[in-house]
Amino acid sequence: MKKIKKIILCALTFGLIFLNGTLITFASESNSENIFSYTNLESAVLQGDNIQDIIVTKEHIENNIEYIDGVLEGNEIIIKVGIFDEELFEFEIPFSIFPSQLEYMDCAAIIGKAQDTDSFKMLSMRVEKNTSNLSLLQPNLELEGHTVLSLALKLNNEKIYYLQIPVDEINFDKLKEKADAEFEKSVESKESLMQLEDDYFSLNSASDNIRSNDKTAVSSSEVITDEDCDTSLEKMPTGRGVISPVIPDSVFKSGVLNKMTIVSSELNGATFTYAYYQSNVAGTQNRITNIVLVDRALGAHFESQTFYYGFTIIFNGTVFYNAYDGSLGWSDEYAKRITISDIKLKTTNGLEDRGIAYTTMYEQLVNGSMMEKILKVGLSNIPKAGPFIDCFMTLTSKSDTSCGYEHKFQNTYEKQVALYGKPIRGVSAHFDKIKSIGDSVSERITGRDISSIRWLKNATYTYN
């Protein structure tokens, strides 16, 4: 990177007044303040349909930035930039500034939001303090630890100009205060700003289709057994793996990009599901993976005729892969980006025989948040007009963190057929959503003469 010429300006407004016949000169601060000014810079130039696949090297770097100036006006930063590529393209771009909402990045950052125009699309504007190499292009690794401005524009010539420069002279704390103030009065939500910054890392414009928007997927599973079992991830021995031995580290280094991906499997007697959404940091091989791991605990005890299906979030967070040093890191304190919703469980006799369920229970537990609702619970093989088929429950108190029902029925096949018209084979429940570590939904039945048990699950996973 070429040596940067820095120009620091202070804007003052001068005036004259007369007081008691004496001429007095005064100076007052203007509402605008130059915070950086550079000339003769380099940027990475990217072109093509698969920007996500480009790894930036020195060959992508060109000396094409004639100048770039930053002016702070109120809670806005106005950036003036001149890009020379056969001709001079000049832009004056006002940015509303906001604090980064990606707390799990463990860095102080500010993002700017600007409108696309007929002349360009805004792909990134971030100011990061004590910058991590996770967000730096390989030719710019010398900027690690500095305050860095990242700016990317896509012009009508279909080229992307991606600039990363040190701006250590910026009063970052002052910018952060202004960004916080702007966020307080803005209609922007935490979620919308998280999405914006995700797009900035990937150089994805909201008006482009550079990155897939396939952020939702549905998973179904079925297990049938006639043998005793008692499976749970909690019973697995500890082992290697950044968050769990059941998820190979290769998932975080070379997983499916830009698409909600769901894997359901069994290992050492444990049944589980993990779902992830992975994106790369544009121009690098660094990857950010948002992932949720669910323990699908199955219990079958044919002698006591008790059967259980539990669905519990073990991990919901973000894993970072740094290709520069091969390291993996993770956070689960803030990074609960995947929601599991529209959960349907069913625990039932796997055969059409005389096996019945005479006690059924279903429950939802939510950690530290307002209880969601169980949408609907039905008893297998009971006509819609029968008893209990339209059970609904909604808890509204924030102190409520669990809900559930337990029902007892006639305990023989003959009595059930006589009373209900059909035998009760099991229970099915439809739950709203879970998100936090420890959140769970579950079913349990006690039966008679059940020789095969069948568990079904259907759930929707959404990255947001």
Side-chain angles (χ1 to χ4, degrees):
M1 179 176 289
K2 288 190 175 182
K3 185 177 180 180
I4 298 172
K5 179 182 178 183
K6 301 183 179 180
I7 306 171
I8 311 299
L9 302 176
C10 182
L12 298 175
T13 301
F14 293 91
L16 299 176
I17 63 171
F18 285 92
L19 182 62
N20 297 327
T22 303
L23 178 63
I24 299 176
T25 304
F26 70 93
S28 62
E29 291 189 8
S30 168
N31 286 330
S32 64
E33 174 189 354
N34 274 63
I35 54 176
F36 59 82
S37 185
Y38 305 143
T39 62
N40 191 26
L41 302 180
E42 297 172 332
S43 75
V45 180
L46 311 178
Q47 193 170 16
D49 294 331
N50 298 314
I51 298 298
Q52 299 293 307
D53 297 331
I54 296 176
I55 307 303
V56 173
T57 63
K58 290 183 178 180
E59 285 69 31
H60 295 94
I61 304 299
E62 298 181 10
N63 190 336
N64 49 25
I65 306 298
E66 293 283 304
Y67 64 88
I68 182 168
D69 300 317
V71 178
L72 180 63
E73 288 193 1
N75 293 340
E76 282 192 338
I77 293 179
I78 298 174
I79 291 182
K80 301 175 183 180
V81 61
I83 303 172
F84 188 83
D85 191 342
E86 298 183 357
E87 61 178 305
L88 183 62
F89 301 93
E90 296 184 281
F91 306 102
E92 182 173 320
I93 311 169
F95 290 90
S96 299
I97 57 175
F98 301 96
S100 170
Q101 299 301 308
L102 302 183
E103 294 102 331
Y104 54 82
M105 290 294 292
D106 194 26
C107 67
I110 291 167
I111 58 175
K113 183 175 183 180
Q115 296 297 318
D116 292 347
T117 72
D118 293 337
S119 302
F120 68 83
K121 292 178 180 177
M122 178 54 54
L123 301 187
S124 182
M125 191 287 200
R126 294 181 76 249
V127 179
E128 184 176 338
K129 186 178 181 181
N130 192 24
T131 301
S132 162
N133 61 6
L134 188 73
S135 57
L136 291 173
L137 301 175
Q138 188 276 331
N140 298 331
L141 287 178
E142 64 191 43
L143 301 180
E144 183 178 0
H146 290 267
T147 299
V148 174
L149 166 68
S150 296
L151 181 71
L153 300 175
K154 183 179 182 180
L155 305 191
N156 287 339
N157 61 7
E158 294 302 309
K159 292 182 180 179
I160 293 174
Y161 301 86
Y162 191 12
L163 173 75
Q164 291 183 324
I165 57 174
V167 287
D168 294 310
E169 69 274 20
I170 282 181
N171 185 337
F172 185 87
D173 292 338
K174 179 179 179 180
L175 288 186
K176 177 67 163 53
E177 289 179 4
K178 290 183 175 292
D180 289 339
E182 182 67 19
F183 184 40
E184 284 294 322
K185 67 179 184 179
S186 172
V187 297
E188 296 288 344
S189 66
K190 180 182 179 73
E191 289 72 24
S192 68
L193 292 179
M194 291 173 77
Q195 179 60 66
L196 180 63
E197 196 164 3
D198 282 347
D199 287 342
Y200 282 177
F201 275 119
S202 299
L203 298 190
N204 179 54
S205 170
S207 57
D208 247 337
N209 290 318
I210 296 176
R211 190 179 75 181
S212 167
N213 287 318
D214 192 2
K215 298 179 179 179
T216 296
V218 177
S219 171
S220 299
S221 64
E222 179 181 25
V223 177
I224 301 175
T225 186
D226 57 5
E227 297 180 353
D228 283 2
C229 66
D230 195 3
T231 71
S232 174
L233 283 176
E234 296 179 354
K235 297 183 178 182
M236 281 195 60
T238 58
R240 298 185 62 183
V242 63
I243 60 173
S244 171
V246 302
I247 305 176
D249 289 350
S250 59
V251 168
F252 309 111
K253 299 177 180 180
S254 57
V256 178
L257 285 171
N258 306 320
K259 180 180 181 180
M260 178 62 73
T261 302
I262 302 173
V263 177
S264 294
S265 188
E266 180 178 349
L267 181 65
N268 295 334
T271 50
F272 57 91
T273 296
Y274 61 88
Y276 68 89
Y277 188 91
Q278 185 173 110
S279 57
N280 67 337
V281 179
T284 78
Q285 292 178 302
N286 298 337
R287 297 199 174 198
I288 301 175
T289 305
N290 289 277
I291 186 166
V292 62
L293 172 63
V294 178
D295 182 10
R296 292 168 30 232
L298 304 176
H301 304 279
F302 287 94
E303 183 175 350
S304 63
Q305 289 285 290
T306 56
F307 307 94
Y308 172 81
Y309 195 174
F311 190 81
T312 304
I313 293 180
I314 302 299
F315 180 89
N316 193 1
T318 300
V319 176
F320 312 97
Y321 170 56
N322 189 325
Y324 295 129
D325 59 18
S327 64
L328 288 166
W330 59 272
S331 172
D332 64 3
E333 184 176 359
Y334 304 103
K336 302 171 182 66
R337 300 292 299 277
I338 297 179
T339 300
I340 309 175
S341 62
D342 197 22
I343 307 164
K344 299 173 183 176
L345 300 183
K346 188 172 185 177
T347 302
T348 184
N349 184 359
L351 300 174
E352 294 293 327
D353 59 10
R354 294 178 62 83
I356 61 164
Y358 63 84
T359 300
T360 64
M361 186 275 287
Y362 39 93
E363 184 177 46
Q364 179 169 357
L365 303 176
V366 174
N367 286 344
S369 64
M370 181 175 175
M371 186 58 220
E372 305 295 346
K373 63 182 179 180
I374 293 180
L375 296 180
K376 191 169 186 177
V377 176
L379 303 175
S380 299
N381 283 353
I382 295 294
K384 288 188 177 182
F388 309 113
I389 195 64
D390 293 318
C391 294
F392 287 84
M393 185 173 187
T394 302
L395 301 181
T396 57
S397 170
K398 291 186 178 181
S399 62
D400 289 329
T401 57
S402 67
C403 69
Y405 280 119
E406 182 176 26
H407 293 301
K408 295 184 182 295
F409 306 96
Q410 298 296 321
N411 61 2
T412 68
Y413 178 89
E414 290 78 10
K415 290 178 180 179
Q416 287 190 0
V417 171
L419 183 60
Y420 311 128
K422 289 184 177 181
I424 297 173
R425 303 293 189 185
V427 64
S428 61
H430 184 184
F431 304 90
D432 187 10
K433 60 184 177 182
I434 54 177
K435 190 172 187 177
S436 298
I437 295 174
D439 288 0
S440 69
V441 295
S442 62
E443 298 177 333
R444 188 186 304 271
I445 66 172
T446 303
R448 180 187 295 273
D449 297 329
I450 294 177
S451 58
S452 175
I453 195 71
R454 180 175 181 238
W455 295 287
L456 295 96
K457 181 268 299 177
N458 184 278
T460 299
Y461 297 77
T462 304
Y463 169 67
N464 47 23

